[in-house]
Structure formats: C-alpha cells, structure tokens
C-alpha cells in the first residue's frame, strides 16, 4: 500500500465514448502493477461488471458447470456459451453482493444508517469489484438526497482507502443521484471522450454539474483530464477539424488533455479471447499502459501542487 487510496471517477454525460472499456482497463492495469484496486460499477448497464466477471470468473463457472452437469471440465469449457448458468446471477445477484445495496432506502428512520457489508467480490489478488446492478434504475427514482452520501460512507465505513491504492468508479452517462454520489466520494475524475461532432455536449453538461457539486459541498474534487478514446489510427481531415473545434471550446480549455489515447480495436468489441478487457489485446494494452502511467503521473503532480 502506498498510503491513502485515491478515488477516481470515469465519467462523461454522453454514452458510447468507451468509458467502461477505459475504466476496466485502467483498473486491471493498476492491479497488474501490484496496486490494490477496487472497481465500483455504478452504471446500470453494468458492462464493466460483466466484462470483469466473464474473464476472471470463467474458470470458477466452468468448475461449477462441470460438477452440476456431471461432465469433465474440457466439455464444460467447449460448450460454455450453451449453458444457462451465469456467475453474476448465481454468485453475485442471489447473494445481494451488488452496488444496489448501497442505494436501498433505509427502512427504520429511527436507526442510524450503516453501510452494507460483504458486497465486494474478489477477482484477483490485487483486483476486487463492487458489481453493478440494473436495479439502480429504481434507485434513481427516489427523491432521497441522502443517497449522495452512500458511496462516501461506504468508503469510510469499510476503510476502503486504507485497504486499496486505487478505487475506480465507472459512472453512468447521465446526471443522477448516484452520479453525484460517485463524484461526491471522489478525489479525481477522468473524462473519456470520443472525437465526434456531439462530444462537446457531454463535456458542457458534466462541467456544469461538477462545478455546482463542488460549490454546494465545498469539495476538493479535481479533474485529471480528458482522454481521447476509440481514435482511428489515421485521423482524417474531417475528424481533425472536429477535434480542433472541440479543443477551442471554453469548457475544454479549462481542462487538460491526456497525450495518451485509446485506438479502435475491433477484437475488444467482439470479445475474441480476452473478453472485453482491453489489457488482454496487444494493441489496446499498449494504449492502456500509456494512459495508466500518465494517470499516475498526473495524480502525483496534483498531490504536489
């Protein structure tokens, strides 16, 4: 452990920018560097949860299928996709080990709120996860603004910063109570951003929300910068013009832009051998390593300011 862990939200108000792929990759990279890392998935789509469980819990799932179906492990692996057994459903959801437990209403108002225990799932020696849950859609319908404290309370109550070097939060692409909860609990945030004509919309919305949150709660939340994602190997003239226009906007001028970026890697979308984890494919792995190193450097610079 390197001291107090750092909480970093990966967020953009626009979907389809490669946010989850980047946050998963960074979490996996940090864990590979012997940094104790916790991935918290608060995106109701919970693609980060599925990607990490599919890769790191596949052997466990094969073992269970083999035992249940009375077949050898090779046969279970060869026919893996044909079985209905799902690790998330059986070992996470049924045991209520998801982020939704942080956002369930308090039943007894007279009782002091306590963060739920045993919602962390171990993936590797250095990588753990608080799994996402589609039911977060229900939590967002609540008018209980006390929910903004839930992630921060969990981090404090469970001594998360003492037990982890990095806490990576994958946020939804919407302004919700649990988006606020993530930012409220964070030390830093990173903005994954795809270069397209609508990209500035997500930045404007996000920065407006963050500034309001910082002012209302006197937060020390700081942006580490924008990371360009899903960039073609050769950027055409049209996209270069869009990038130039984007970088000229006031909201972007207030932020730094990472020199490292992610490129389009089709195998990640298909999930050939490494599932959707970008660290398991050579080209995308190089991108993630470069961004991860730059992220650590930026944190160290912010800490010395």
């Amino acid at each position: 452990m390197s001291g107090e862990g750092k909480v970093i939200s990966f967020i953009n108000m626009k979907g389809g920018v490669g946010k989850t792929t980047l946050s998963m990759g960074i979490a996996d990279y940090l864990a590979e560097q012997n940094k104790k890392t916790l991935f918290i998935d608060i995106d109701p789509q919970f693609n980060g949860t599925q990607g990490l469980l599919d890769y790191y819990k596949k052997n466990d799932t094969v073992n269970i299928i083999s035992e249940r179906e009375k077949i050898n492990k090779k046969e279970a692996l060869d026919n893996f996709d044909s079985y209905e057994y799902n690790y998330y459903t059986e070992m996470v959801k049924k045991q209520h080990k998801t982020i939704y437990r942080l956002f369930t209403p308090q039943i007894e108002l007279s009782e002091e709120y306590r963060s739920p225990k045993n919602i962390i799932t171990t993936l590797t020696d250095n990588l753990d996860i608080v799994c996402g849950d589609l039911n977060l859609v229900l939590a967002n319908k609540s008018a209980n603004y006390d929910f903004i404290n839930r992630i921060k309370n969990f981090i404090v109550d469970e001594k998360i910063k003492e037990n982890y070097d990095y806490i990576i939060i994958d946020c939804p692409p919407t302004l919700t109570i649990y988006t606020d909860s993530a930012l409220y609990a964070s030390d830093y945030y990173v903005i994954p951003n795809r270069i397209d004509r609508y990209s500035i919309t997500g930045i404007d919305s996000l920065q407006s929300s963050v500034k309001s949150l910082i002012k209302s709660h006197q937060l020390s939340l700081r942006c580490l910068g924008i990371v360009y994602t899903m960039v073609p190997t050769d950027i055409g003239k049209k996209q270069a013009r869009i990038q130039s226009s984007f970088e000229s906007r006031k909201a972007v001028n207030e932020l730094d832009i990472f020199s490292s970026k992610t490129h389009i890697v089709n195998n990640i979308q298909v999930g050939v051998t490494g599932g959707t984890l970008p660290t398991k494919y050579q080209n995308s792995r190089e991108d993630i390593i470069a961004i991860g190193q730059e992220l650590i450097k930026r944190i160290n610079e912010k800490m010395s300011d």
Side-chain angles (χ1 to χ4, degrees):
M1 300 297 296
S2 58
E4 187 177 79
K6 302 296 180 287
V7 184
I8 311 165
S9 282
F10 283 68
I11 184 168
N12 193 323
M13 294 298 98
K14 183 177 182 297
V17 299
K19 169 186 59 63
T20 294
T21 299
L22 178 61
S23 59
M24 274 197 304
I26 293 298
D28 200 44
Y29 164 75
L30 292 170
E32 287 182 356
Q33 304 309 302
N34 291 320
K35 301 297 182 182
K36 190 72 175 174
T37 305
L38 177 65
F39 183 87
I40 300 179
D41 190 350
I42 66 165
D43 188 337
Q45 296 182 56
F46 65 99
N47 290 329
T49 293
Q50 296 175 78
L52 288 165
L53 289 181
D54 284 351
Y55 187 84
Y56 284 113
K57 292 299 185 181
K58 187 168 186 176
N59 286 337
D60 291 354
T61 306
V62 167
N63 290 337
I64 295 172
I65 291 174
S66 175
E67 184 175 337
R68 286 188 176 186
E69 301 294 326
K70 308 300 182 186
I71 58 177
N72 61 53
K73 293 178 182 178
K74 184 180 184 305
E75 185 178 349
L77 182 61
D78 290 342
N79 298 285
F80 183 80
D81 293 332
S82 66
Y83 295 106
E84 294 184 0
Y85 179 85
N86 180 284
Y87 187 92
Y88 175 81
T89 302
E90 298 291 331
M91 303 301 291
V92 175
K93 195 71 183 291
K94 283 187 177 180
Q95 296 182 28
H96 306 290
K97 295 180 66 173
T98 76
I99 190 70
Y100 183 59
R101 281 182 60 198
L102 282 184
F103 294 97
T104 51
Q106 189 173 345
I107 298 176
E108 296 291 338
L109 295 178
S110 60
E111 294 183 3
E112 181 181 356
Y113 171 78
R114 295 181 180 178
S115 298
K117 296 184 179 295
N118 303 318
I119 64 171
I120 295 176
T121 297
T122 298
L123 299 175
T124 72
D125 289 343
N126 289 317
L127 182 60
D128 295 339
I129 182 174
V130 175
C131 292
D133 195 323
L134 180 61
N135 285 329
L136 280 184
V137 173
L138 302 177
N140 188 44
K141 294 179 180 179
S142 171
N144 186 356
Y145 202 71
D146 286 342
F147 281 178
I148 195 174
N149 299 305
R150 293 296 175 89
I151 294 178
K152 189 169 186 177
N153 286 344
F154 169 70
I155 288 172
V156 172
D157 294 344
E158 297 302 305
K159 296 180 170 55
I160 299 298
K161 283 194 171 187
E162 288 90 330
N163 294 321
Y164 293 91
D165 295 297
Y166 295 97
I167 301 94
I168 304 296
I169 306 179
D170 183 24
C171 299
T174 51
L175 293 172
T176 64
I177 189 62
Y178 38 89
T179 306
D180 285 352
S181 185
L183 292 171
Y184 185 69
S186 295
D187 302 300
Y188 306 100
Y189 64 102
V190 173
I191 308 173
N193 192 71
R194 192 171 184 176
I195 303 171
D196 62 44
R197 67 174 62 187
Y198 303 111
S199 58
I200 191 62
T201 304
I203 305 296
D204 280 336
S205 299
L206 175 60
Q207 285 303 95
S208 176
S209 177
V210 169
K211 287 178 181 179
S212 176
L213 200 65
I214 289 174
K215 185 176 181 180
S216 299
H217 299 278
Q218 298 183 327
L219 304 181
S220 58
L221 178 64
R222 305 171 76 179
C223 184
L224 292 176
I226 296 169
V227 178
Y228 285 138
T229 56
M230 306 167 73
V231 179
T233 304
D234 296 315
I235 297 180
K237 291 181 179 180
K238 182 178 179 180
Q239 197 165 26
R241 287 197 300 271
I242 293 173
Q243 179 179 342
S244 177
S245 174
F246 171 76
E247 293 177 1
S248 69
R249 301 295 291 267
K250 180 181 177 182
V252 178
N253 283 332
E254 297 174 349
L255 304 169
D256 291 328
I257 297 176
F258 276 58
S259 59
S260 309
K261 56 183 71 71
T262 69
H263 296 86
I264 295 174
V265 178
N266 291 328
N267 282 344
I268 294 178
Q269 311 305 321
V270 178
V272 181
T273 57
T276 54
L277 269 176
T279 44
K280 308 309 175 186
Y281 303 92
Q282 183 177 350
N283 291 339
S284 57
R285 179 178 176 80
E286 292 174 358
D287 291 341
I288 292 298
I289 289 173
I291 296 169
Q293 290 174 345
E294 189 170 350
L295 179 140
I296 293 171
K297 181 181 178 182
R298 285 172 177 257
I299 290 175
N300 291 335
E301 290 173 349
K302 296 286 187 186
M303 290 175 62
S304 62
D305 286 349

